[in-house]
Amino acid sequence: MIKAILIFNNHGKPRLIRFYQYFAEDMQQQIIRETFHLVSKRDDNVCNFLEGGSLIGGSDYKLIYRHYATLYFVFCVDSSESELGILDLIQVFVETLDKCFENVCELDLIFHMDKVHYILQEVVMGGMVLETNMNEIVAQVEMQNRMEKSEGGLSAAPARAVSAVKNMNLPEIPRNINIGDINIKVPSLSPF
Amino acid sequence: MRLPLRVLQQDCVFYVRRKFNVTSSLTATSRSAEARRAAILNVWSVPPSDAYRKDSSHYLVSLRLRMPAPIRLRELIRTIRTARTQAEEREMIQKECAAIRSSFREEDNTYRCRNVAKLLYMHMLGYPAHFGQLECLKLIASQKFTDKRIGYLGAMLLLDERQDVHLLMTNCIKNDLNHSTQYVQGLALCTLGCMGSSEMCRDLAGEVEKLLKTSNSYLRKKAALCAVHVIRKVPELMEMFLPATKNLLSEKNHGVLHTSVVLLTEMCERSPDMLSHFRKLVPQLVRILKNLIMSGYSPEHDVSGISDPFLQVRILRLLRILGKGDDDSSEAMNDILAQVATNTETSKNVGNAILYETVLTIMDIKSESGLRVLAINILGRFLLNNDKNIRYVALTSLLKTVQTDHNAVQRHRSTIVDCLKDLDVSIKRRAMELSFALVNGNNIRGMMKELLYFLDSCDPEFKADCASGVFLAAEKYAPSKRWHIDTIMRVLTTAGSYVRDDSVPNLIQLITNSVEMHAYTVQRLYKALLDDISQQPLVQVASWCIGEYGDLLVSGQCEEEEPIQVTEDEVLDVLEGLLVSNLSTPVTRGYSLTAIMKLSTRFSSVNRIKKVVSIYGSSIDVELQQRAVEYNALFKKYDHMRPALLERMPIMEKTSTNGPTEIVQTNGETESAVLDTKLTPAVPQPASQANDLLDLLGGNDVVPVIQTSVPTKPASAGGELLDLLGDLSLTGGPTPAPAPSAPISQPPFLLDGLSSQPLFNDTAAGIPPMTAYNKNGLKIDFTFERSNQNPNISVITIHATNSTEAEMTEFVFQAAVPKTFQLQLLSPSSNIVPALNQGNVTQVIRVLNPQKQQLRMRVKLTYTHKGTPVQDLAEVNNFPPQSWQ
C-alpha cells in the first residue's frame, strides 16, 4: 500500500501532500521535512530507494522517489508494493501531469494544486493503484473538468460577485468611479 | 475588477518556464513548442517571482478596499509567494484565515468552494485548516459537481475517521453512490475508499458491492478498490464480495483487471478459506498473463515496449500468494513463469520490474529446481546491472532468498561484497545486510576481513549496525577465541564510539570466560589504550580488564605474544590519565576508578591508590564521588574484607534466554550497579558466596541471603540488588529467579526493618531459645520474637559467642532459607567475636513465612581464628514450633 505521496521542490517547499494513513498535521509537516532532508542529500546517480524514514513507520516502509528538474516526487510505500513498479508509476503520474498541463512545471503544481489532486485521484485511490493507462486518466479528468466548466466552475463566482460590488458602499478612493458603467466581461478562463 | 484579468494574462505567459525532465519521448511538435516557449522566456527577462510580487501589491490594495468577495485561490497563492520570511507568510495566512472564517460564518454559499480550496492550500503548507471540515460536508451536500469535487477532496484531506464529523458524510456518500452521474459516484467511491471508517463501511458495503457488478468500468475499478478498503476495515464483510468476484477476471478493461487482482490478493491474504477458494483461478490468471506477454503491441497499454507491466506485476504477486505451499498451483504456473523469465526484455526499468517480480514468485512458490536456479541467476545478472535501482532490488531479493537457497546465493558472494564499495548508501546497506547473512563457519575469516574494511571506511550511520553485525557473526562462527577477541578489539579500535552500549558488557563477558587468554587480552588492551583513549567503549573494556588482570599485565607472562614490560606505576599512570582526560565520559571514569581500586589488591603500591581514591571523594561528579567514598570506606573500615571483595570476577554464565538488557546487568554493570545501591562490604561478593551457598543447598529452591550492613540503605536498593543477584545466576535457570523478585513485591517488609529498628518490641513471649551451632568453640544461639502486626514475620536474633582463648575475627554469618520463605539479614553488631565468652556478636534475621511452613535454614560461617581462615556450613532444622506456626 502507498502510505503517502509527497511532492516538494528542491528547497523542501511542499507542492502536494497526500497521506493515505492518518497523521496529525504537525506530524505531516515533520514527515515532509524529514523526507526532504533524506532525499535531498542524495546524488542523482544513486538508486531511487531509501529506507528508514523513521516517522512513517518502521523498516517495512520505503521511500521511492524520482527527481525531476525542480521537483521531487516521493512515494512512501510498504513491502506489498513492487519497488520498480512504483518507479514506473511515478513516471506515469508525471507524464499524465505533463499531458494535462501541457509541459508541466512547478508553477502549474503551485497554482493548480486542486487539479493535481484530481489527477492523482484517478491514478491512486486509497493508497492503491487505480489506473495506469495515461489516456484513460487524462480522458476522465478532462471529462470532469468539462462538467465543472459547464456549471461555470469556480470562476462563475465573480459574475455573482459583480452585483455585490455594484451595491457596495465604497470608501472614499473610488468614489467618483461610476461602477455601473463598467461592462465587465467575465473571462471564461480556467477556474480560480 | 480588471486587475485579476491582467494577472491572468501574465500568468499564461509565465507558465512557460523550465520544464520537467519528463523523459518520455517528446514528440516533434512538442519539441518545437518548447523552442517557441523558450523564445518567449527570453523576451521576458524579468524573473517570474518579481512579476508575481508586483501583482501582489495590487492585491493588497484591493484588500484594503475591503472587497466583500474573497480573493481567488490564485491570488492568495501569489501573495503568499511574495512573503520573504516565514513570519510574513504566517501573517498573510492568518489574515486570510480570518476572512475565510467570517465568510463561513455568514453561510456564504457562493464562495464556499473557493474558500475551501484556499484552505486546502494552506493546509498543505502546514497551517491549521480544521475549521473547514464542516464546510467540506456542506459542499458535498451541494448539488453542483464543482462543489462536490472540492468538498470530497477537502473531506479526504482534512477529515479522518478519528473525528465523529465524518459520520455526517455517510448519508451524502450513500446518495452519491446512487447518483446518475458516474463522476459523482466515482468521487463518492474514492472518498469512501480513502477514509471510510468501519461504521461507514458497514453502512455502505451494499452499495459498493452493487457497483462492483456494474458494467461501467470506470465505476467498477473504483468499486473494487473500495471493496479492498471495506475488507481492511471490516474483514467479516469479505463474504459479501465473493459472488461479485466471479466475473471480475473475465473483464477486458485493464483498469478493472488490475484492481480486481488487488481485491483478490487482499482477500487471499486475509483468509485461508478464500486462498484455497481462489486457487482455482490460477489457470485464468496464467491465461491473462500469457495474453499480455504474447499479444503484440497495443498502444493503449504499452509502457516502454511492454504491455501493461503494472498488471503483470500484480498478477505475478497474486500467483505468488496462490502458489505458496501448494503443489498443484505451483505446477500450473511453472511454465508461464519460465516464459516470463526468458521472454521479458530487460533493457528498460519496466522489464526488470516484471523480471524481479517473477523471481520473487519463483522463490516463494514450490517451483522446479531448474526454475530456481534461473531465478537466482537473474538476480546475479541484476547485481551486475549498471542501474543502481536494479542492483538494489537484486540485493533485496537475495536477502529474502538467502535463508532458503543459501548455497545458490553464496555463489554471488564476491559480487555482493563488491557492492559494499558502492557509493550509494541504500545499496551499501543492503549489501552489508546480505554479507552478514552469508557469513558462515567456512568463510568467516575472509568475509570478516571485507566487513572490517567496510567498517573502517563506511559512513558513521553504518558503523553501529556493522559493528553489532560483526559481533554477532564473530560470536556465532569464531574459529578461535583469540580470533574472536582480536576481531572485537579491532571493531572497538576502529568504530569504538559507534558500538552499542551492550557491546562493552558482552566483550567483558567474553574475555572473562576465556581464561587462557587473559594475559594476552589485557596486554593487547593496554597497548590499545596507550595508542588512543578517545574510543570510550574500548577504554571501558580496557580499564575493566586492567583492573581485573593487572597482575598478569605487570608480570609480563604472555604466551601468545611478545610480553611487554610495564611497571605498576605506568599502569596506574594510564588509568589516572583516564580519570583526568577530557575525552572520558563519566561512565569511563567510573570504570577507571574501579579498576584502580581493584589494583589495590594486585599491586603493591596501595598508598598511591589510596591517595587517588581519596581525591575523588570530593569529585563534583556524584557518581564518581560516591564510588570514591565507598572505596575509601573499604580502605579504612573494612580493610580486612578488601582482598575478598576485590577478587577476580567469576566466570559469567550467559543464559540463552537473556536479552541484551539482562546481559548488561549480569556483567559489565555488576560492579557499578552494586555500588549504586550504596551497599558496602559483603555485597560485591555475593556472586561467589551465593553461588557456594546455592551449591551447598543443592537446588533452585533457595532464596539468596543478603547481608545489609548500612541501615540507611534506600528502600529501592534492596530491590535493585535482588534483581541484580537474580540475574547473577543465583537460580541458574533460564527464568531468572522468581524468588528475588518476591521481596520487591513486599516493600513494606524491607522498609519496616530499615526505618524502625526497634520494631520487634512486641515480643511474643514464650518462644524458647535454641542453639543452632556449636563447634570449635563457636556457639550460636537463636532467640525468637514474633511481630504482632505481622505474624508471618519471625524475628530471629543470633548471639555468637566464642569460648576459645583467641578471638575470632572477620566473622561473617550468612543464612539461606527455602524458596517459600523470605529472609533478611540485618547488619551484625561486630565482626569480631571476643575470646573466652567475653562478649558476643548479635545479628538480626527477619524471616517472612507467609505459608507458615516449618522453618529450615542453612547457615554459612566464616571467620579467622588464630590467623587461619575457617569456613563452616550447617543446617538448622530444630526450630521451635512457636517460631513459625
Side-chain angles (χ1 to χ4, degrees):
Chain A
M1 188 180 156
I2 301 169
K3 296 283 162 180
I5 295 173
L6 311 173
I7 306 177
F8 43 74
N9 71 1
N10 288 346
H11 306 290
K13 269 268 173 202
R15 293 307 177 212
L16 177 112
I17 54 173
R18 187 77 178 83
F19 284 88
Y20 294 101
Q21 185 188 346
Y22 173 75
F23 286 102
E25 276 160 28
D26 48 343
M27 194 60 180
Q28 292 185 356
Q29 294 298 320
Q30 212 175 321
I31 291 172
I32 297 169
R33 270 197 300 278
E34 197 207 43
T35 312
F36 169 68
H37 196 75
L38 283 172
V39 165
S40 63
K41 66 176 179 203
R42 288 173 66 82
D43 280 353
D44 273 349
N45 60 353
V46 299
C47 77
N48 300 80
F49 311 115
L50 248 183
E51 280 157 72
S54 59
L55 289 169
I56 207 156
S59 54
D60 194 30
Y61 297 100
K62 276 196 189 107
L63 299 175
I64 300 176
Y65 71 95
R66 271 182 186 268
H67 189 196
Y68 296 94
T70 62
L71 290 175
Y72 285 99
F73 286 71
V74 186
F75 281 45
C76 176
V77 302
D78 66 9
S79 58
S80 71
E81 299 287 336
S82 154
E83 293 94 336
L84 296 175
I86 292 290
L87 272 184
D88 291 328
L89 183 70
I90 299 179
Q91 183 70 24
V92 165
F93 179 45
V94 173
E95 284 184 36
T96 313
L97 287 177
D98 196 49
K99 279 192 179 174
C100 291
F101 287 105
E102 291 174 22
N103 294 309
V104 67
C105 74
E106 188 180 341
L107 281 165
D108 291 316
L109 267 60
I110 297 171
F111 285 95
H112 299 288
M113 189 197 79
D114 51 337
K115 279 197 181 148
V116 180
H117 268 296
Y118 295 147
I119 295 166
L120 183 61
Q121 247 169 46
E122 296 296 327
V123 183
V124 177
M125 176 183 145
M128 290 162 284
V129 181
L130 178 70
E131 180 63 73
T132 52
N133 178 350
M134 259 180 275
N135 297 331
E136 169 79 7
I137 300 166
V138 173
Q140 302 293 359
V141 170
E142 266 171 12
M143 280 298 288
Q144 294 179 64
N145 288 346
R146 223 169 290 155
M147 268 179 76
E148 224 175 51
K149 218 169 261 178
S150 71
E151 285 178 352
L154 292 184
S155 55
R160 294 186 290 264
V162 171
S163 56
V165 174
K166 274 181 189 169
N167 304 330
M168 190 177 62
N169 198 6
L170 286 170
E172 62 271 53
I173 310 159
R175 192 175 299 267
N176 42 10
I177 298 173
N178 187 356
I179 291 172
D181 289 344
I182 297 175
N183 186 12
I184 292 174
K185 278 205 179 106
V186 179
S188 61
L189 286 160
S190 57
F192 295 103
Chain B
M1 286 310 293
R2 288 182 177 233
L3 287 175
L5 187 60
R6 199 171 73 75
V7 171
L8 271 179
Q9 285 163 343
Q10 277 191 357
D11 275 336
C12 299
V13 180
F14 286 130
Y15 275 131
V16 188
R17 299 103 307 192
R18 278 169 302 172
K19 258 177 46 59
F20 290 166
N21 264 350
V22 179
T23 50
S24 65
S25 53
L26 284 166
T27 59
T29 50
S30 75
R31 242 185 230 124
S32 67
E34 197 181 16
R36 215 168 52 236
R37 290 196 171 89
I40 300 171
L41 192 62
N42 286 338
V43 176
W44 287 85
S45 53
V46 194
S49 60
D50 279 357
Y52 278 109
R53 198 169 295 148
K54 227 185 286 165
D55 290 335
S56 72
S57 61
H58 298 303
Y59 151 72
L60 287 177
V61 171
S62 68
L63 252 195
R64 243 172 268 137
L65 289 176
R66 295 180 174 279
M67 301 279 272
I71 56 164
R72 287 151 173 255
L73 170 64
R74 180 172 298 184
E75 286 168 45
L76 173 74
I77 295 170
R78 200 172 292 135
T79 318
I80 290 173
R81 279 166 61 79
T82 62
R84 258 157 292 185
T85 62
Q86 200 70 36
E88 214 176 312
E89 182 183 295
R90 207 173 308 129
E91 200 184 324
M92 286 169 180
I93 299 243
Q94 269 162 9
K95 215 183 264 174
E96 184 57 32
C97 276
I100 293 175
R101 273 174 204 267
S102 63
S103 168
F104 283 162
R105 257 198 306 278
E106 285 160 19
E107 291 293 326
D108 174 48
N109 288 328
T110 329
Y111 291 109
R112 186 176 286 133
C113 56
R114 182 185 282 185
N115 282 333
V116 168
K118 283 190 282 192
L119 268 185
L120 296 184
Y121 185 77
M122 296 179 201
H123 177 255
M124 179 183 73
L125 295 180
Y127 293 94
H130 50 270
F131 59 89
Q133 287 168 349
L134 270 178
E135 303 303 313
C136 293
L137 300 188
K138 288 178 193 161
L139 285 175
I140 293 170
S142 154
Q143 286 308 306
K144 285 169 63 184
F145 180 70
T146 319
D147 284 353
K148 277 191 190 297
R149 208 179 183 193
I150 197 96
Y152 275 123
L153 179 63
M156 280 186 276
L157 293 176
L158 300 181
L159 278 168
D160 77 278
E161 57 175 284
R162 264 147 252 256
Q163 291 144 337
D164 287 335
V165 185
H166 83 275
L167 287 177
L168 300 175
M169 283 197 321
T170 312
N171 211 29
C172 280
I173 293 187
K174 190 172 187 141
N175 290 339
D176 286 345
L177 285 177
N178 296 315
H179 203 273
S180 55
T181 320
Q182 63 163 349
Y183 294 112
V184 174
Q185 288 173 293
L187 283 176
L189 278 173
C190 187
T191 310
L192 179 62
C194 277
M195 52 158 306
S197 60
S198 43
E199 293 103 311
M200 223 155 139
C201 287
R202 257 181 241 278
D203 288 344
L204 300 175
E207 265 77 13
V208 176
E209 199 261 349
K210 223 185 297 163
L211 288 175
L212 194 55
K213 287 191 232 162
T214 71
S215 55
N216 182 335
S217 60
Y218 178 75
L219 289 176
R220 210 167 172 199
K221 68 184 181 196
K222 288 198 171 191
L225 288 190
C226 206
V228 175
H229 181 84
V230 171
I231 292 171
R232 276 185 192 162
K233 286 285 167 195
V234 197
E236 60 264 32
L237 289 177
M238 198 175 344
E239 302 281 320
M240 184 173 182
F241 296 105
L242 193 55
T245 55
K246 224 175 265 168
N247 301 319
L248 280 178
L249 288 185
S250 47
E251 171 74 37
K252 287 278 170 294
N253 182 295
H254 281 209
V256 178
L257 269 179
H258 186 269
T259 52
S260 307
V261 174
V262 174
L263 176 61
L264 295 179
T265 312
E266 182 72 24
M267 289 166 106
C268 289
E269 275 177 338
R270 293 224 166 239
S271 130
D273 292 344
M274 292 289 171
L275 182 62
S276 47
H277 174 79
F278 286 129
R279 283 225 165 95
K280 66 174 193 285
L281 292 181
V282 170
Q284 211 175 341
L285 287 166
V286 167
R287 205 154 48 237
I288 297 173
L289 199 53
K290 197 171 214 156
N291 284 338
L292 282 173
I293 309 169
M294 296 305 168
S295 69
Y297 173 78
S298 97
E300 212 183 333
H301 305 114
D302 185 79
V303 180
S304 315
I306 288 175
S307 186
D308 209 339
F310 298 97
L311 183 56
Q312 291 195 39
V313 166
R314 276 289 156 209
I315 293 176
L316 285 166
R317 279 206 166 223
L318 181 54
L319 286 179
R320 185 185 319 163
I321 293 166
L322 293 173
K324 199 170 191 171
D326 187 84
D327 290 319
D328 294 344
S329 319
S330 300
E331 177 64 38
M333 57 186 86
N334 264 335
D335 281 353
I336 187 73
L337 290 177
Q339 242 168 344
V340 177
T342 45
N343 285 3
T344 306
E345 203 250 331
T346 57
S347 58
K348 294 263 170 42
N349 181 52
V350 279
N352 286 319
I354 294 171
L355 217 48
Y356 169 53
E357 216 59 44
T358 315
V359 168
L360 291 183
T361 304
I362 292 173
M363 304 313 294
D364 262 15
I365 65 166
K366 294 191 162 185
S367 48
E368 293 163 357
S369 60
L371 211 51
R372 296 179 90 85
V373 173
L374 178 68
I376 297 273
N377 286 342
I378 291 174
L379 291 180
R381 224 160 57 221
F382 275 5
L383 278 180
L384 301 170
N385 201 303
N386 279 330
D387 189 338
K388 305 247 176 184
N389 293 329
I390 310 291
R391 285 224 290 279
Y392 172 86
V393 295
L395 289 170
T396 313
S397 34
L398 283 174
L399 195 58
K400 279 182 198 160
T401 52
V402 73
Q403 302 307 335
T404 47
D405 293 71
H406 191 85
N407 291 331
V409 183
Q410 280 290 1
R411 259 183 275 137
H412 300 285
R413 198 173 67 225
S414 60
T415 327
I416 294 162
V417 170
D418 280 344
C419 287
L420 283 175
K421 301 183 186 94
D422 204 292
L423 291 173
D424 188 338
V425 287
S426 295
I427 290 183
K428 259 192 217 173
R429 178 169 294 277
R430 285 292 165 196
M432 180 181 85
E433 287 167 8
L434 193 52
S435 300
F436 279 121
L438 287 178
V439 173
N440 61 24
N442 298 328
N443 60 22
I444 174 115
R445 285 177 192 264
M447 286 298 280
M448 225 27 110
K449 211 188 240 169
E450 295 286 345
L451 284 162
L452 286 172
Y453 278 135
F454 174 70
L455 184 63
D456 282 346
S457 57
C458 67
D459 300 337
E461 53 180 301
F462 288 113
K463 297 214 171 180
D465 284 338
C466 187
S468 30
V470 171
F471 286 160
L472 275 178
E475 195 182 330
K476 229 167 155 183
Y477 301 111
S480 72
K481 287 248 179 182
R482 172 167 173 173
W483 181 91
H484 193 175
I485 288 171
D486 281 349
T487 306
I488 295 190
M489 290 215 336
R490 171 87 189 278
V491 173
L492 285 182
T493 44
T494 52
S497 327
Y498 298 101
V499 299
R500 298 196 173 124
D501 289 340
D502 61 340
S503 58
V504 171
N506 278 338
L507 178 55
I508 288 177
Q509 189 193 18
L510 172 73
I511 293 171
T512 332
N513 293 353
S514 32
V515 179
E516 68 283 5
M517 302 293 296
H518 284 170
Y520 167 73
T521 316
V522 71
Q523 189 171 326
R524 283 285 311 267
L525 281 166
Y526 179 73
K527 277 194 207 155
L529 211 52
L530 291 180
D531 289 343
D532 182 13
I533 57 165
S534 61
Q535 308 273 15
Q536 295 305 305
L538 177 73
V539 176
Q540 289 168 9
V541 175
S543 304
W544 194 91
C545 287
I546 293 175
E548 288 290 318
Y549 314 119
D551 44 339
L552 299 175
L553 178 64
V554 178
S555 68
Q557 326 161 307
C558 182
E559 290 161 9
E560 310 268 328
E561 218 178 36
E562 182 86 352
I564 49 166
Q565 295 303 322
V566 276
T567 64
E568 295 181 356
D569 277 334
E570 279 169 345
V571 176
L572 287 174
D573 283 343
V574 170
L575 289 175
E576 280 181 50
L578 296 178
L579 278 172
V580 293
S581 164
N582 288 333
L583 296 166
S584 302
T585 61
V587 177
T588 311
R589 293 203 175 110
Y591 268 94
S592 133
L593 187 66
T594 308
I596 292 176
M597 184 63 194
K598 283 220 157 191
L599 288 178
S600 71
T601 59
R602 293 158 178 72
F603 284 4
S604 53
S605 40
V606 178
N607 282 333
R608 181 177 172 182
I609 291 171
K610 263 187 193 164
K611 218 155 92 196
V612 175
V613 169
S614 65
I615 289 172
Y616 282 89
S618 54
S619 165
I620 51 161
D621 180 349
V622 180
E623 164 77 22
L624 212 55
Q625 187 189 47
Q626 188 181 329
R627 273 170 200 263
V629 167
E630 282 160 0
Y631 293 153
N632 245 334
L634 216 51
F635 272 125
K636 289 182 184 138
K637 260 166 110 181
Y638 303 98
D639 208 36
H640 58 281
M641 300 181 125
R642 193 165 50 89
L645 287 176
L646 301 177
E647 258 176 19
R648 267 189 205 163
M649 293 296 282
I651 289 178
M652 296 171 232
E653 302 267 322
K654 189 174 175 183
T655 49
S656 53
T657 50
N658 275 1
T661 47
E662 277 164 323
I663 294 165
V664 170
Q665 283 188 324
T666 48
N667 32 50
E669 287 292 302
T670 306
E671 279 185 302
S672 61
V674 167
L675 292 161
D676 283 347
T677 57
K678 285 196 193 165
L679 298 170
T680 32
V683 177
Q685 241 182 346
S688 53
Q689 289 186 342
N691 271 336
D692 294 349
L693 269 180
L694 186 73
D695 288 346
L696 75 238
L697 293 170
N700 284 353
D701 56 339
V702 179
V703 175
V705 178
I706 304 115
Q707 270 200 323
T708 51
S709 307
V710 185
T712 53
K713 179 179 68 122
S716 65
E720 270 179 69
L721 181 73
L722 286 169
D723 220 11
L724 191 90
L725 291 167
D727 282 344
L728 270 170
S729 72
L730 273 172
T731 47
T735 43
S741 65
I744 306 165
S745 60
Q746 302 280 349
F749 178 56
L750 278 174
L751 277 171
D752 286 350
L754 296 170
S755 51
S756 50
Q757 289 284 20
L759 176 91
F760 354 101
N761 293 337
D762 40 356
T763 313
I767 307 177
M770 61 172 278
T771 301
Y773 180 89
N774 195 349
K775 220 180 196 177
N776 302 332
L778 177 65
K779 185 174 171 220
I780 293 175
D781 293 318
F782 284 5
T783 56
F784 301 94
E785 292 161 282
R786 293 285 284 273
S787 163
N788 288 342
Q789 289 153 15
N790 186 351
N792 290 340
I793 298 177
S794 307
V795 180
I796 305 167
T797 313
I798 69 159
H799 306 269
T801 50
N802 174 6
S803 58
T804 63
E805 67 277 13
E807 62 177 21
M808 295 168 172
T809 55
E810 298 174 34
F811 173 77
V812 178
F813 171 89
Q814 290 175 296
V817 287
K819 218 173 182 174
T820 46
F821 303 92
Q822 285 171 35
L823 178 144
Q824 187 186 27
L825 264 174
L826 301 189
S827 46
S829 60
S830 160
N831 58 10
I832 298 167
V833 194
L836 302 168
N837 292 331
Q838 280 168 343
N840 62 7
V841 172
T842 57
Q843 190 168 5
V844 174
I845 313 169
R846 289 155 54 91
V847 179
L848 179 68
N849 182 4
Q851 295 168 24
K852 300 244 163 106
Q853 289 185 341
Q854 174 164 15
L855 204 52
R856 285 186 298 130
M857 192 181 283
R858 286 184 195 188
V859 296
K860 182 181 178 187
L861 297 154
T862 44
Y863 55 92
T864 308
H865 191 231
K866 294 178 184 166
T868 48
V870 182
Q871 197 181 67
D872 200 12
L873 307 162
E875 185 152 347
V876 188
N877 286 328
N878 50 342
F879 284 93
Q882 298 97 314
S883 66
W884 48 270
Q885 269 172 352

